[in-house]
Amino acid sequence: MSVKICLDRANRTFYPHDIISGDVLINSTTNRKHNGVLLTIFGHIQLTNTDQVNVNNQLYPGSSPGTVFNKEITLCPPDRLTEGETKYRFEVPLEDSLMPFIDSYEGYFIEVKYSLSVTVQGSLFVRDLVDKIDFIIRTAPPASTEIIKTPHKFSITRENCEVNDLFDSLNIVGLLDSTIWSLNENLSGWIQITECDIPVEGIMIQLSRIERVGNDDRESSEIENIEVATGNIEHNLKVPLYLPFPQRFTCPTIDTPEFEISYKINIVVTFPNSYFVTKAIAITLV
């Protein structure tokens, strides 16, 4: 005997107020009784990879500081399954959440996960049959919300880098097209080396997340690292910067008393003997 959830939407990606629909398929080799078929849709915020207990906020590894969505539906009351395949159809609107929907997110300390599970409750002395799949929630700014984009200029000079004794002259300028981005967009901009008296080995752009749990300090971890140029880059050449946001590991910037998720971009220019200079720029994802 087996049970399987089959969603109509192959990419398993949904938005608030969508209808999550599909079929539950049960294959049985004999006629047998069951005590009901239950479908549960659950979304929650979970803490991971931390061994510290925050007494004030009662947060600890594996705890859930927020249940986003929780709905249970009886697909079939106690009954008898016939031999062969039995199909139960479900259509559930993603409405009446317990808190505003948050994008699915997989971080180092924080996860936002949504799952769909079905349980065929066994009769006396017969174990339950369970199937579970994860799905993705994506939110979007309200249609009436206009994202105002303002170019952000940056520079790296001998005076504002930690290894300034390495250079007699250093001037690197650049521009991000904005510091506010939708998750569906790609970060873009450019960087230009105008002065540098030692060879450049490469330029990288890094996306990092900053997570806070309860009253703990903010912790940064790298999400993505893209090498945009290698070798001794020609001076005064505008090198394009381009970075897509990985949907699995990003969600809109959020700040609550229980947790915080924010982001920054690091522009890294490398030199011989493992020297490098970095420019950090905070960005907001919506």
Side-chain angles (χ1 to χ4, degrees):
M1 184 173 174
S2 64
V3 59
K4 183 179 180 180
I5 300 171
C6 297
L7 289 178
D8 292 337
R9 195 171 295 182
N11 65 6
R12 300 185 183 180
T13 300
F14 298 87
Y15 292 84
H17 309 296
D18 277 357
I19 293 177
I20 184 167
S21 61
D23 298 294
V24 171
L25 306 179
I26 303 174
N27 281 287
S28 179
T29 56
T30 61
N31 293 339
R32 59 190 300 174
K33 291 178 61 178
H34 65 81
N35 286 332
V37 180
L38 300 179
L39 181 76
T40 302
I41 303 176
F42 187 64
H44 69 296
I45 305 156
Q46 180 173 299
L47 307 182
T48 61
N49 293 326
T50 175
D51 56 3
Q52 296 180 349
V53 176
N54 187 315
V55 178
N56 292 333
N57 291 285
Q58 298 181 337
L59 303 182
Y60 52 89
S63 73
S64 180
T67 298
V68 183
F69 191 87
N70 190 8
K71 186 170 288 188
E72 186 176 279
I73 296 170
T74 300
L75 297 179
C76 179
D79 199 355
R80 180 176 291 274
L81 291 170
T82 58
E83 183 179 351
E85 183 180 88
T86 303
K87 181 187 293 187
Y88 296 105
R89 181 72 180 168
F90 63 86
E91 294 183 356
V92 183
L94 293 173
E95 297 176 344
D96 303 322
S97 59
L98 301 177
M99 61 185 293
F101 277 105
I102 302 171
D103 286 55
S104 298
Y105 170 76
E106 190 170 317
Y108 188 77
F109 293 112
I110 303 166
E111 289 184 348
V112 183
K113 302 192 75 172
Y114 297 87
S115 63
L116 185 70
S117 63
V118 62
T119 303
V120 182
Q121 296 178 309
S123 56
L124 188 64
F125 305 122
V126 177
R127 66 184 179 86
D128 295 347
L129 279 179
V130 177
D131 188 32
K132 179 180 179 180
I133 60 173
D134 291 334
F135 63 94
I136 296 170
I137 286 289
R138 284 286 169 251
T139 61
S144 59
T145 301
E146 181 182 358
I147 300 176
I148 300 175
K149 293 184 177 293
T150 304
H152 177 84
K153 295 180 180 180
F154 64 88
S155 65
I156 304 172
T157 64
R158 184 178 182 276
E159 289 71 27
N160 63 16
C161 70
E162 295 180 359
V163 289
N164 54 18
D165 57 341
L166 181 67
F167 307 97
D168 290 328
S169 64
L170 174 67
N171 189 41
I172 301 172
V173 297
L175 178 141
L176 292 184
D177 292 327
S178 177
T179 56
I180 303 176
W181 298 91
S182 166
L183 287 171
N184 299 321
E185 297 178 309
N186 299 308
L187 182 142
S188 59
W190 55 265
I191 186 171
Q192 182 181 54
I193 300 171
T194 59
E195 293 181 40
C196 187
D197 58 341
I198 65 173
V200 173
E201 286 196 340
I203 299 173
M204 294 181 293
I205 181 170
Q206 298 174 345
L207 173 64
S208 296
R209 62 192 159 215
I210 301 96
E211 298 174 315
R212 172 187 56 79
V213 176
N215 295 326
D216 292 343
D217 293 335
R218 293 170 174 82
E219 297 287 344
S220 177
S221 57
E222 183 182 312
I223 299 175
E224 188 175 24
N225 190 340
I226 295 178
E227 191 171 48
V228 297
T230 59
N232 191 13
I233 294 113
E234 180 181 344
H235 287 196
N236 298 315
L237 174 68
K238 285 188 176 181
V239 178
L241 299 176
Y242 180 87
L243 182 139
F245 298 108
Q247 292 198 2
R248 182 178 174 184
F249 302 108
T250 54
C251 69
T253 300
I254 185 170
D255 186 0
T256 72
E258 291 80 16
F259 67 97
E260 175 187 347
I261 303 169
S262 57
Y263 304 91
K264 68 177 178 180
I265 291 293
N266 293 318
I267 311 295
V268 183
V269 182
T270 59
F271 302 93
N273 299 319
S274 301
Y275 286 109
F276 63 90
V277 295
T278 302
K279 182 66 176 182
I281 304 169
I283 65 170
T284 299
L285 297 183
V286 296

